[in-house]
PDB file of all heavy atoms in Angstrom:
ATOM      1  N   ARG A   4       0.599   6.760   2.870  1.00 94.00           N
ATOM      2  CA  ARG A   4      -0.277   7.934   2.811  1.00 94.00           C
ATOM      3  C   ARG A   4       0.288   9.150   3.525  1.00 94.00           C
ATOM      4  O   ARG A   4      -0.105  10.277   3.253  1.00 94.00           O
ATOM      5  CB  ARG A   4      -1.644   7.579   3.416  1.00 94.00           C
ATOM      6  CG  ARG A   4      -2.507   6.700   2.536  1.00 94.00           C
ATOM      7  CD  ARG A   4      -3.694   6.151   3.305  1.00 94.00           C
ATOM      8  NE  ARG A   4      -3.303   5.047   4.150  1.00 94.00           N
ATOM      9  CZ  ARG A   4      -4.109   4.480   5.064  1.00 94.00           C
ATOM     10  NH1 ARG A   4      -5.325   4.960   5.245  1.00 94.00           N
ATOM     11  NH2 ARG A   4      -3.695   3.458   5.773  1.00 94.00           N
ATOM     12  N   SER A   7       4.446  11.951   1.942  1.00 94.00           N
ATOM     13  CA  SER A   7       4.559  13.290   1.360  1.00 94.00           C
ATOM     14  C   SER A   7       4.092  14.371   2.316  1.00 94.00           C
ATOM     15  O   SER A   7       4.677  15.458   2.393  1.00 94.00           O
ATOM     16  CB  SER A   7       3.760  13.369   0.052  1.00 94.00           C
ATOM     17  OG  SER A   7       4.385  12.626  -0.965  1.00 94.00           O
ATOM     18  N   GLY A  22       4.665  14.051  35.313  1.00 96.00           N
ATOM     19  CA  GLY A  22       4.414  13.910  36.750  1.00 96.00           C
ATOM     20  C   GLY A  22       2.945  14.125  37.064  1.00 96.00           C
ATOM     21  O   GLY A  22       2.095  14.172  36.172  1.00 96.00           O
ATOM     22  N   PRO A  62      -6.256   4.835  31.421  1.00 98.00           N
ATOM     23  CA  PRO A  62      -5.159   5.496  30.704  1.00 98.00           C
ATOM     24  C   PRO A  62      -5.627   5.958  29.324  1.00 98.00           C
ATOM     25  O   PRO A  62      -6.183   5.183  28.552  1.00 98.00           O
ATOM     26  CB  PRO A  62      -4.101   4.391  30.603  1.00 98.00           C
ATOM     27  CG  PRO A  62      -4.348   3.537  31.814  1.00 98.00           C
ATOM     28  CD  PRO A  62      -5.847   3.518  31.978  1.00 98.00           C
ATOM     29  N   ALA A  83      -3.432  13.005  39.138  1.00 97.00           N
ATOM     30  CA  ALA A  83      -3.353  12.048  38.029  1.00 97.00           C
ATOM     31  C   ALA A  83      -1.993  12.228  37.375  1.00 97.00           C
ATOM     32  O   ALA A  83      -1.441  13.329  37.341  1.00 97.00           O
ATOM     33  CB  ALA A  83      -4.472  12.282  37.018  1.00 97.00           C
ATOM     34  N   ALA A 106     -10.484  19.490  16.595  1.00 91.00           N
ATOM     35  CA  ALA A 106      -9.961  20.376  17.633  1.00 91.00           C
ATOM     36  C   ALA A 106      -9.581  19.598  18.888  1.00 91.00           C
ATOM     37  O   ALA A 106      -8.667  19.994  19.624  1.00 91.00           O
ATOM     38  CB  ALA A 106     -10.994  21.445  17.973  1.00 91.00           C
ATOM     39  N   LEU A 112      -5.697   4.558  25.776  1.00 97.00           N
ATOM     40  CA  LEU A 112      -4.430   4.016  25.311  1.00 97.00           C
ATOM     41  C   LEU A 112      -4.570   2.552  24.898  1.00 97.00           C
ATOM     42  O   LEU A 112      -3.800   2.066  24.058  1.00 97.00           O
ATOM     43  CB  LEU A 112      -3.363   4.162  26.403  1.00 97.00           C
ATOM     44  CG  LEU A 112      -3.012   5.595  26.820  1.00 97.00           C
ATOM     45  CD1 LEU A 112      -1.823   5.584  27.767  1.00 97.00           C
ATOM     46  CD2 LEU A 112      -2.737   6.477  25.616  1.00 97.00           C
ATOM     47  N   ARG A 116      -3.089  -0.431  20.198  1.00 91.00           N
ATOM     48  CA  ARG A 116      -2.402  -1.686  20.513  1.00 91.00           C
ATOM     49  C   ARG A 116      -0.981  -1.720  19.971  1.00 91.00           C
ATOM     50  O   ARG A 116      -0.065  -2.227  20.629  1.00 91.00           O
ATOM     51  CB  ARG A 116      -3.215  -2.855  19.960  1.00 91.00           C
ATOM     52  CG  ARG A 116      -4.591  -2.998  20.624  1.00 91.00           C
ATOM     53  CD  ARG A 116      -5.374  -4.163  20.048  1.00 91.00           C
ATOM     54  NE  ARG A 116      -6.699  -4.259  20.660  1.00 91.00           N
ATOM     55  CZ  ARG A 116      -7.610  -5.169  20.309  1.00 91.00           C
ATOM     56  NH1 ARG A 116      -7.328  -6.051  19.358  1.00 91.00           N
ATOM     57  NH2 ARG A 116      -8.791  -5.182  20.907  1.00 91.00           N
ATOM     58  N   GLY A 135      19.983  12.274  27.988  1.00 96.00           N
ATOM     59  CA  GLY A 135      19.252  12.310  26.732  1.00 96.00           C
ATOM     60  C   GLY A 135      17.757  12.156  26.904  1.00 96.00           C
ATOM     61  O   GLY A 135      17.039  11.958  25.912  1.00 96.00           O
ATOM     62  N   ASP A 141      10.851  13.606  23.429  1.00 98.00           N
ATOM     63  CA  ASP A 141      10.362  14.348  22.271  1.00 98.00           C
ATOM     64  C   ASP A 141      10.215  13.426  21.059  1.00 98.00           C
ATOM     65  O   ASP A 141       9.200  13.463  20.346  1.00 98.00           O
ATOM     66  CB  ASP A 141      11.311  15.496  21.929  1.00 98.00           C
ATOM     67  CG  ASP A 141      11.392  16.548  23.036  1.00 98.00           C
ATOM     68  OD1 ASP A 141      10.533  16.524  23.942  1.00 98.00           O
ATOM     69  OD2 ASP A 141      12.320  17.375  22.981  1.00 98.00           O
ATOM     70  N   SER A 142      11.215  12.599  20.822  1.00 98.00           N
ATOM     71  CA  SER A 142      11.182  11.691  19.675  1.00 98.00           C
ATOM     72  C   SER A 142      10.069  10.662  19.814  1.00 98.00           C
ATOM     73  O   SER A 142       9.381  10.329  18.839  1.00 98.00           O
ATOM     74  CB  SER A 142      12.534  10.987  19.522  1.00 98.00           C
ATOM     75  OG  SER A 142      13.566  11.917  19.257  1.00 98.00           O
ATOM     76  N   ARG A 202     -15.670   9.107 -13.168  1.00 97.00           N
ATOM     77  CA  ARG A 202     -15.447  10.513 -12.870  1.00 97.00           C
ATOM     78  C   ARG A 202     -16.551  11.090 -11.997  1.00 97.00           C
ATOM     79  O   ARG A 202     -16.282  11.811 -11.019  1.00 97.00           O
ATOM     80  CB  ARG A 202     -15.345  11.306 -14.180  1.00 97.00           C
ATOM     81  CG  ARG A 202     -14.881  12.736 -13.976  1.00 97.00           C
ATOM     82  CD  ARG A 202     -14.527  13.400 -15.276  1.00 97.00           C
ATOM     83  NE  ARG A 202     -15.694  13.572 -16.146  1.00 97.00           N
ATOM     84  CZ  ARG A 202     -15.674  14.251 -17.284  1.00 97.00           C
ATOM     85  NH1 ARG A 202     -14.531  14.786 -17.715  1.00 97.00           N
ATOM     86  NH2 ARG A 202     -16.760  14.383 -18.014  1.00 97.00           N
ATOM     87  N   VAL A 215     -14.568  19.295   0.049  1.00 97.00           N
ATOM     88  CA  VAL A 215     -14.316  20.227  -1.057  1.00 97.00           C
ATOM     89  C   VAL A 215     -14.199  19.404  -2.332  1.00 97.00           C
ATOM     90  O   VAL A 215     -14.089  18.182  -2.288  1.00 97.00           O
ATOM     91  CB  VAL A 215     -13.018  21.045  -0.843  1.00 97.00           C
ATOM     92  CG1 VAL A 215     -13.143  21.974   0.342  1.00 97.00           C
ATOM     93  CG2 VAL A 215     -11.814  20.121  -0.678  1.00 97.00           C
ATOM     94  N   GLU A 235      10.459  29.827   3.595  1.00 90.00           N
ATOM     95  CA  GLU A 235      11.834  29.334   3.479  1.00 90.00           C
ATOM     96  C   GLU A 235      12.708  30.239   2.620  1.00 90.00           C
ATOM     97  O   GLU A 235      13.917  30.012   2.514  1.00 90.00           O
ATOM     98  CB  GLU A 235      11.828  27.924   2.901  1.00 90.00           C
ATOM     99  CG  GLU A 235      11.206  26.892   3.841  1.00 90.00           C
ATOM    100  CD  GLU A 235      11.089  25.519   3.211  1.00 90.00           C
ATOM    101  OE1 GLU A 235      11.416  25.378   2.000  1.00 90.00           O
ATOM    102  OE2 GLU A 235      10.678  24.577   3.916  1.00 90.00           O
ATOM    103  N   ARG A 256      -2.133  34.855  -9.059  1.00 94.00           N
ATOM    104  CA  ARG A 256      -3.590  34.903  -9.163  1.00 94.00           C
ATOM    105  C   ARG A 256      -4.229  33.801  -8.319  1.00 94.00           C
ATOM    106  O   ARG A 256      -5.213  34.036  -7.600  1.00 94.00           O
ATOM    107  CB  ARG A 256      -4.014  34.757 -10.633  1.00 94.00           C
ATOM    108  CG  ARG A 256      -3.807  35.997 -11.467  1.00 94.00           C
ATOM    109  CD  ARG A 256      -4.606  35.936 -12.759  1.00 94.00           C
ATOM    110  NE  ARG A 256      -4.173  34.830 -13.613  1.00 94.00           N
ATOM    111  CZ  ARG A 256      -3.186  34.917 -14.507  1.00 94.00           C
ATOM    112  NH1 ARG A 256      -2.526  36.064 -14.661  1.00 94.00           N
ATOM    113  NH2 ARG A 256      -2.870  33.882 -15.257  1.00 94.00           N
TER     114      ARG A 256
END
Side-chain angles (χ1 to χ4, degrees):
R4 286 168 282 171
S7 289
L112 297 187
R116 296 180 182 178
D141 296 346
S142 297
R202 190 169 66 173
V215 294
E235 293 175 356
R256 284 197 297 272

